[in-house]
Each structure stands twice: as C-alpha cells, then as structure tokens.
Amino acid sequence: MRVKIRKGDTVEIISGRLEDKGKRGEVINVLPDEGRIVVQGVNIRTKHQRQVQTQAGRQINPGRIQFEGKIHVSNVMLVCPKCGEPSRVNVQRDEEGAHRVCKKCQAMID
Ligand SMILES: [Zn+2]
C-alpha cells in the first residue's frame, strides 16, 4: 500500500478507537514500510516505566510516560489544506515530480 501521507500533513481520524474518531492532528512520523503513521495527540498510550535499580542502588525516573501510538493509514484521511475537508488524493506526475491533488476541490496540495 502506497502511503500518500507525509510528515507535517494534517489528517482526520475516520475509524479506529472511538475516542479518537473525528480528531484532527499533525502527522509527526510516517513509517511507510508498516503503512502506519503517528499523529500528534491521537492514540495516546501510557507506558509504565519500571523502576530501574542502578548499581549504586538508586532508582531512576520511575513513573508513567505518555506517547502517541502508531495508527494505520487506512484509519485516517488527509485534510486538504485548501478546502479544509478530509479527502482522498490523486497523485499527478509532471516534469517537477509527483504532486498530490485533492479529489474534492482539485487543488494541488504540494
Ligand atoms: Zn481540497
């Protein structure tokens, strides 16, 4: 599956965990091999860090760490920066390379 979403894009969650559905956020990481992305503020997970004993017997940084979990690209839609609607994109190629075009307003996204 070709990932048409890039770092810095805004996406809307169209399926997946209910509390995140309809949320919008900026893409902060893209993992094309997995077909997954990380979106700021979406799919927040909490990692419980175990207390670590150092050789001196001291504990370092026990506690919880919150982070954004990966989500599959099929659960999101790119939000077009021109019309502000979540939409599918076509990829058009010309001599300058590949451009993404919004299917709703036909605007060239980049
Ligand atoms: Zn558009």
Short mmCIF file of all heavy atoms in Angstrom, two decimals, residues 7-47:
data_model
loop_
_atom_site.label_atom_id
_atom_site.label_comp_id
_atom_site.label_asym_id
_atom_site.label_seq_id
_atom_site.Cartn_x
_atom_site.Cartn_y
_atom_site.Cartn_z
N LYS A 7 4.90 13.60 6.60
CA LYS A 7 5.15 14.31 7.85
C LYS A 7 4.75 15.78 7.68
O LYS A 7 5.07 16.39 6.67
CB LYS A 7 6.64 14.21 8.17
CG LYS A 7 6.99 14.29 9.63
CD LYS A 7 8.44 13.88 9.79
CE LYS A 7 9.01 14.37 11.09
NZ LYS A 7 10.38 13.93 11.28
N GLY A 8 4.03 16.31 8.67
CA GLY A 8 3.61 17.70 8.60
C GLY A 8 2.20 17.88 8.06
O GLY A 8 1.61 18.94 8.19
N ASP A 9 1.63 16.81 7.44
CA ASP A 9 0.24 16.87 6.96
C ASP A 9 -0.71 16.90 8.15
O ASP A 9 -0.38 16.40 9.23
CB ASP A 9 -0.10 15.61 6.15
CG ASP A 9 0.49 15.64 4.74
OD1 ASP A 9 0.91 16.71 4.29
OD2 ASP A 9 0.51 14.56 4.12
N THR A 10 -1.90 17.43 7.91
CA THR A 10 -2.97 17.30 8.89
C THR A 10 -3.91 16.19 8.42
O THR A 10 -4.27 16.14 7.25
CB THR A 10 -3.76 18.62 9.03
OG1 THR A 10 -2.86 19.62 9.51
CG2 THR A 10 -4.90 18.49 10.03
N VAL A 11 -4.24 15.29 9.33
CA VAL A 11 -5.14 14.19 8.98
C VAL A 11 -6.31 14.15 9.95
O VAL A 11 -6.24 14.67 11.06
CB VAL A 11 -4.42 12.81 8.99
CG1 VAL A 11 -3.36 12.73 7.89
CG2 VAL A 11 -3.80 12.53 10.34
N GLU A 12 -7.41 13.54 9.50
CA GLU A 12 -8.56 13.32 10.37
C GLU A 12 -8.74 11.82 10.55
O GLU A 12 -8.61 11.05 9.60
CB GLU A 12 -9.82 13.94 9.75
CG GLU A 12 -11.04 13.83 10.67
CD GLU A 12 -12.21 14.68 10.21
OE1 GLU A 12 -12.00 15.85 9.85
OE2 GLU A 12 -13.33 14.15 10.19
N ILE A 13 -9.04 11.44 11.80
CA ILE A 13 -9.23 10.02 12.10
C ILE A 13 -10.64 9.63 11.67
O ILE A 13 -11.62 10.21 12.14
CB ILE A 13 -9.05 9.74 13.61
CG1 ILE A 13 -7.76 10.38 14.15
CG2 ILE A 13 -9.09 8.24 13.88
CD1 ILE A 13 -6.49 10.02 13.42
N ILE A 14 -10.75 8.65 10.76
CA ILE A 14 -12.07 8.28 10.25
C ILE A 14 -12.55 6.96 10.83
O ILE A 14 -13.71 6.63 10.76
CB ILE A 14 -12.09 8.22 8.71
CG1 ILE A 14 -10.94 7.33 8.19
CG2 ILE A 14 -11.97 9.62 8.12
CD1 ILE A 14 -11.12 6.90 6.75
N SER A 15 -11.65 6.18 11.43
CA SER A 15 -12.08 4.96 12.11
C SER A 15 -11.04 4.60 13.14
O SER A 15 -10.04 5.27 13.30
CB SER A 15 -12.29 3.82 11.12
OG SER A 15 -11.08 3.54 10.46
N GLY A 16 -11.29 3.53 13.84
CA GLY A 16 -10.35 3.16 14.90
C GLY A 16 -10.98 3.36 16.25
O GLY A 16 -12.19 3.27 16.39
N ARG A 17 -10.16 3.65 17.23
CA ARG A 17 -10.67 3.81 18.59
C ARG A 17 -11.67 4.96 18.63
O ARG A 17 -11.41 6.04 18.13
CB ARG A 17 -9.53 4.08 19.56
CG ARG A 17 -8.57 2.90 19.69
CD ARG A 17 -7.82 2.96 20.99
NE ARG A 17 -7.30 4.30 21.26
CZ ARG A 17 -6.73 4.64 22.40
NH1 ARG A 17 -6.61 3.75 23.36
NH2 ARG A 17 -6.27 5.85 22.58
N LEU A 18 -12.78 4.72 19.28
CA LEU A 18 -13.90 5.66 19.25
C LEU A 18 -13.52 7.05 19.75
O LEU A 18 -13.92 8.05 19.18
CB LEU A 18 -15.06 5.09 20.08
CG LEU A 18 -16.43 5.69 19.77
CD1 LEU A 18 -16.84 5.38 18.34
CD2 LEU A 18 -17.47 5.14 20.73
N GLU A 19 -12.75 7.13 20.81
CA GLU A 19 -12.46 8.46 21.38
C GLU A 19 -11.59 9.32 20.48
O GLU A 19 -11.54 10.52 20.64
CB GLU A 19 -11.84 8.34 22.78
CG GLU A 19 -10.46 7.72 22.81
CD GLU A 19 -10.50 6.25 23.22
OE1 GLU A 19 -11.43 5.54 22.81
OE2 GLU A 19 -9.63 5.85 23.98
N ASP A 20 -10.95 8.68 19.51
CA ASP A 20 -10.11 9.45 18.59
C ASP A 20 -10.80 9.74 17.26
O ASP A 20 -10.29 10.51 16.46
CB ASP A 20 -8.80 8.69 18.31
CG ASP A 20 -7.85 8.73 19.49
OD1 ASP A 20 -7.90 9.71 20.24
OD2 ASP A 20 -7.06 7.79 19.64
N LYS A 21 -11.95 9.13 17.04
CA LYS A 21 -12.65 9.31 15.77
C LYS A 21 -13.05 10.78 15.60
O LYS A 21 -13.58 11.39 16.51
CB LYS A 21 -13.88 8.41 15.73
CG LYS A 21 -14.33 8.09 14.34
CD LYS A 21 -15.39 7.01 14.36
CE LYS A 21 -15.99 6.84 12.98
NZ LYS A 21 -17.01 5.80 12.97
N GLY A 22 -12.77 11.33 14.43
CA GLY A 22 -13.10 12.72 14.17
C GLY A 22 -12.03 13.70 14.59
O GLY A 22 -12.09 14.88 14.28
N LYS A 23 -11.05 13.21 15.33
CA LYS A 23 -9.95 14.08 15.76
C LYS A 23 -9.05 14.43 14.58
O LYS A 23 -8.85 13.63 13.68
CB LYS A 23 -9.07 13.36 16.80
CG LYS A 23 -9.41 13.65 18.23
CD LYS A 23 -8.26 13.16 19.11
CE LYS A 23 -8.67 13.04 20.56
NZ LYS A 23 -7.62 12.41 21.36
N ARG A 24 -8.50 15.63 14.64
CA ARG A 24 -7.51 16.02 13.64
C ARG A 24 -6.18 16.29 14.32
O ARG A 24 -6.13 16.73 15.46
CB ARG A 24 -7.95 17.29 12.92
CG ARG A 24 -9.11 17.06 11.98
CD ARG A 24 -9.47 18.31 11.24
NE ARG A 24 -10.59 18.05 10.34
CZ ARG A 24 -10.99 18.87 9.38
NH1 ARG A 24 -10.36 20.01 9.20
NH2 ARG A 24 -12.01 18.56 8.61
N GLY A 25 -5.13 16.02 13.60
CA GLY A 25 -3.82 16.27 14.17
C GLY A 25 -2.75 16.28 13.09
O GLY A 25 -2.98 15.85 11.95
N GLU A 26 -1.60 16.76 13.50
CA GLU A 26 -0.48 16.82 12.56
C GLU A 26 0.28 15.51 12.58
O GLU A 26 0.49 14.90 13.64
CB GLU A 26 0.45 17.97 12.97
CG GLU A 26 1.55 18.21 11.94
CD GLU A 26 2.54 19.28 12.40
OE1 GLU A 26 2.11 20.25 13.02
OE2 GLU A 26 3.74 19.11 12.13
N VAL A 27 0.67 15.06 11.41
CA VAL A 27 1.45 13.83 11.29
C VAL A 27 2.88 14.13 11.76
O VAL A 27 3.54 15.01 11.23
CB VAL A 27 1.45 13.32 9.84
CG1 VAL A 27 2.33 12.08 9.70
CG2 VAL A 27 0.03 13.03 9.38
N ILE A 28 3.32 13.42 12.77
CA ILE A 28 4.66 13.67 13.29
C ILE A 28 5.65 12.58 12.89
O ILE A 28 6.85 12.75 13.06
CB ILE A 28 4.66 13.88 14.83
CG1 ILE A 28 3.96 12.75 15.57
CG2 ILE A 28 4.00 15.21 15.17
CD1 ILE A 28 4.01 12.88 17.09
N ASN A 29 5.14 11.48 12.34
CA ASN A 29 6.05 10.43 11.88
C ASN A 29 5.34 9.55 10.86
O ASN A 29 4.15 9.29 11.00
CB ASN A 29 6.55 9.59 13.06
CG ASN A 29 7.88 8.92 12.77
OD1 ASN A 29 8.48 9.10 11.71
ND2 ASN A 29 8.34 8.11 13.71
N VAL A 30 6.05 9.11 9.85
CA VAL A 30 5.49 8.20 8.85
C VAL A 30 6.38 6.97 8.76
O VAL A 30 7.60 7.08 8.65
CB VAL A 30 5.40 8.88 7.46
CG1 VAL A 30 4.85 7.91 6.42
CG2 VAL A 30 4.53 10.14 7.52
N LEU A 31 5.76 5.79 8.83
CA LEU A 31 6.50 4.54 8.72
C LEU A 31 5.99 3.81 7.49
O LEU A 31 5.09 2.98 7.58
CB LEU A 31 6.32 3.70 9.99
CG LEU A 31 6.73 4.44 11.27
CD1 LEU A 31 5.59 4.50 12.27
CD2 LEU A 31 7.96 3.83 11.88
N PRO A 32 6.52 4.15 6.31
CA PRO A 32 5.97 3.61 5.05
C PRO A 32 6.02 2.09 4.96
O PRO A 32 5.13 1.48 4.38
CB PRO A 32 6.84 4.25 3.96
CG PRO A 32 7.84 5.11 4.62
CD PRO A 32 7.68 5.02 6.10
N ASP A 33 7.03 1.47 5.55
CA ASP A 33 7.15 0.01 5.49
C ASP A 33 5.99 -0.68 6.20
O ASP A 33 5.56 -1.76 5.81
CB ASP A 33 8.47 -0.46 6.11
CG ASP A 33 9.68 -0.02 5.28
OD1 ASP A 33 9.47 0.34 4.10
OD2 ASP A 33 10.80 -0.03 5.80
N GLU A 34 5.51 -0.05 7.28
CA GLU A 34 4.40 -0.62 8.05
C GLU A 34 3.06 -0.08 7.59
O GLU A 34 2.01 -0.60 8.00
CB GLU A 34 4.56 -0.26 9.54
CG GLU A 34 5.78 -0.85 10.21
CD GLU A 34 5.86 -0.43 11.67
OE1 GLU A 34 4.82 -0.37 12.34
OE2 GLU A 34 6.97 -0.15 12.14
N GLY A 35 3.07 0.98 6.78
CA GLY A 35 1.81 1.62 6.41
C GLY A 35 1.17 2.30 7.60
O GLY A 35 -0.05 2.43 7.69
N ARG A 36 1.99 2.74 8.54
CA ARG A 36 1.48 3.37 9.74
C ARG A 36 2.05 4.77 9.91
O ARG A 36 3.14 5.07 9.41
CB ARG A 36 1.81 2.54 10.99
CG ARG A 36 1.01 1.28 11.07
CD ARG A 36 1.54 0.40 12.20
NE ARG A 36 1.05 -0.96 12.03
CZ ARG A 36 -0.11 -1.39 12.53
NH1 ARG A 36 -0.86 -0.60 13.23
NH2 ARG A 36 -0.49 -2.62 12.32
N ILE A 37 1.30 5.58 10.64
CA ILE A 37 1.75 6.94 10.92
C ILE A 37 1.56 7.23 12.41
O ILE A 37 0.85 6.50 13.10
CB ILE A 37 0.99 7.99 10.09
CG1 ILE A 37 -0.51 7.92 10.37
CG2 ILE A 37 1.27 7.80 8.60
CD1 ILE A 37 -1.30 9.05 9.74
N VAL A 38 2.19 8.29 12.87
CA VAL A 38 1.99 8.77 14.23
C VAL A 38 1.44 10.18 14.12
O VAL A 38 1.97 11.02 13.40
CB VAL A 38 3.32 8.76 15.02
CG1 VAL A 38 3.09 9.25 16.46
CG2 VAL A 38 3.93 7.36 15.04
N VAL A 39 0.31 10.41 14.81
CA VAL A 39 -0.37 11.70 14.74
C VAL A 39 -0.38 12.35 16.12
O VAL A 39 -0.72 11.70 17.11
CB VAL A 39 -1.83 11.54 14.23
CG1 VAL A 39 -2.52 12.89 14.11
CG2 VAL A 39 -1.85 10.82 12.89
N GLN A 40 -0.01 13.62 16.13
CA GLN A 40 0.09 14.34 17.39
C GLN A 40 -1.25 14.35 18.12
O GLN A 40 -2.28 14.70 17.55
CB GLN A 40 0.51 15.78 17.09
CG GLN A 40 1.03 16.51 18.31
CD GLN A 40 1.85 17.73 17.90
OE1 GLN A 40 1.47 18.47 17.01
NE2 GLN A 40 2.98 17.90 18.53
N GLY A 41 -1.24 13.91 19.38
CA GLY A 41 -2.44 13.96 20.22
C GLY A 41 -3.44 12.86 19.96
O GLY A 41 -4.53 12.85 20.54
N VAL A 42 -3.11 11.90 19.11
CA VAL A 42 -4.05 10.83 18.75
C VAL A 42 -3.47 9.48 19.17
O VAL A 42 -2.28 9.25 19.00
CB VAL A 42 -4.35 10.84 17.23
CG1 VAL A 42 -5.17 9.64 16.82
CG2 VAL A 42 -5.07 12.12 16.85
N ASN A 43 -4.36 8.63 19.69
CA ASN A 43 -3.94 7.29 20.13
C ASN A 43 -2.88 7.37 21.23
O ASN A 43 -1.84 6.71 21.17
CB ASN A 43 -3.44 6.47 18.94
CG ASN A 43 -3.39 4.98 19.25
OD1 ASN A 43 -4.02 4.51 20.20
ND2 ASN A 43 -2.64 4.24 18.47
N ILE A 44 -3.19 8.18 22.25
CA ILE A 44 -2.27 8.37 23.36
C ILE A 44 -2.19 7.09 24.20
O ILE A 44 -3.20 6.51 24.58
CB ILE A 44 -2.72 9.54 24.27
CG1 ILE A 44 -2.74 10.86 23.48
CG2 ILE A 44 -1.84 9.65 25.51
CD1 ILE A 44 -1.39 11.36 23.07
N ARG A 45 -1.00 6.64 24.39
CA ARG A 45 -0.77 5.45 25.21
C ARG A 45 0.12 5.81 26.38
O ARG A 45 0.88 6.77 26.32
CB ARG A 45 -0.10 4.37 24.38
CG ARG A 45 -1.08 3.74 23.44
CD ARG A 45 -0.44 3.17 22.23
NE ARG A 45 -1.50 2.73 21.33
CZ ARG A 45 -1.95 1.48 21.31
NH1 ARG A 45 -1.42 0.56 22.07
NH2 ARG A 45 -2.92 1.14 20.49
N THR A 46 -0.02 5.03 27.43
CA THR A 46 0.80 5.27 28.61
C THR A 46 1.71 4.08 28.84
O THR A 46 1.25 2.94 28.88
CB THR A 46 -0.09 5.50 29.85
OG1 THR A 46 -0.98 6.58 29.57
CG2 THR A 46 0.76 5.87 31.05
N LYS A 47 2.95 4.38 28.91
CA LYS A 47 3.93 3.34 29.19
C LYS A 47 4.30 3.45 30.66
O LYS A 47 4.65 4.53 31.13
CB LYS A 47 5.15 3.55 28.29
CG LYS A 47 6.13 2.41 28.33
CD LYS A 47 6.99 2.37 27.08
CE LYS A 47 8.01 3.50 27.07
NZ LYS A 47 8.84 3.46 25.84
#
